[in-house]
Amino acid sequence: MRNLHHALRRNILQSIDFFYTPFNKIIPLQTFRYAACGGVNTAFDIGLFTLSYHFIFNKRNLALGPLTLSPHIASLFFAFCFSLPSGFYLNRYIVFQHSGLKRHTQMVRYIIVVLICVVFNFLFLKLFVDYFGWYATPSKILTTLLIIVFSYTSQTYFFFKLKPHHQQ
């Protein structure tokens, strides 16, 4: 399993760094890696959201005993179950690999920011879909764009912040 992790990490880093070359004068490598990993994970999340909304939940409410979830909220939580671990992996081992924080500390901090983002996702989706009557997938895309700024700022300056002796 460790060999798979190292090979995957090496291949991801090589791929991202290959595409970084034309941007190396205008954007720091860590920011580029964050954008690349975040973009891939966001596309993964939106793809899972869309597939689950249209095909798993078939645009129908999900009854969970006394609780009923609308299809866009059920799809949000379904996609979250997969994008949370993939996002943590990419942030821990690709973007913020030199933070100096222990894995447990990073994971707790990452989960906190992701849970805050889930709350924002929930609120924006309820607003856009239920109140404004917009379609679910474009609402999810707009919601994601609004949350990216919060997510990047909080992860860079708090959740994966370098320890003082690791700062460059």
Side-chain angles (χ1 to χ4, degrees), residues 120-155:
F120 285 148
N121 266 285
F122 175 82
L123 294 173
F124 282 128
L125 282 174
K126 293 299 276 181
L127 175 70
F128 296 152
V129 177
D130 295 341
Y131 184 73
F132 294 155
W134 297 353
Y135 290 111
T137 300
S139 295
K140 171 65 174 155
I141 293 168
L142 177 59
T143 296
T144 299
L145 294 174
L146 293 172
I147 293 170
I148 284 172
V149 174
F150 166 78
S151 178
Y152 177 74
T153 303
S154 61
Q155 289 185 57

Side-chain angles (χ1 to χ4, degrees), residues 27-85:
I27 187 171
L29 179 59
Q30 181 174 329
T31 304
F32 185 81
R33 285 178 177 171
Y34 182 85
C37 290
V40 167
N41 203 55
T42 298
F44 178 59
D45 181 68
I46 291 171
L48 287 174
F49 175 89
T50 302
L51 289 172
S52 63
Y53 179 78
H54 289 284
F55 300 109
I56 295 173
F57 302 112
N58 203 22
K59 301 180 191 175
R60 294 190 182 131
N61 289 340
L62 174 65
L64 300 171
L67 179 67
T68 300
L69 298 178
S70 58
H72 52 281
I73 299 303
S75 298
L76 169 71
F77 289 116
F78 177 83
F80 171 76
C81 291
F82 296 94
S83 63
L84 173 78

Side-chain angles (χ1 to χ4, degrees), residues 94-113:
I94 306 300
V95 180
F96 301 106
Q97 57 187 309
H98 301 295
S99 77
L101 296 173
K102 294 182 180 182
R103 181 176 33 223
H104 179 280
T105 301
Q106 282 184 326
M107 180 175 284
V108 168
R109 288 180 176 190
Y110 183 78
I111 289 171
I112 290 169
V113 76

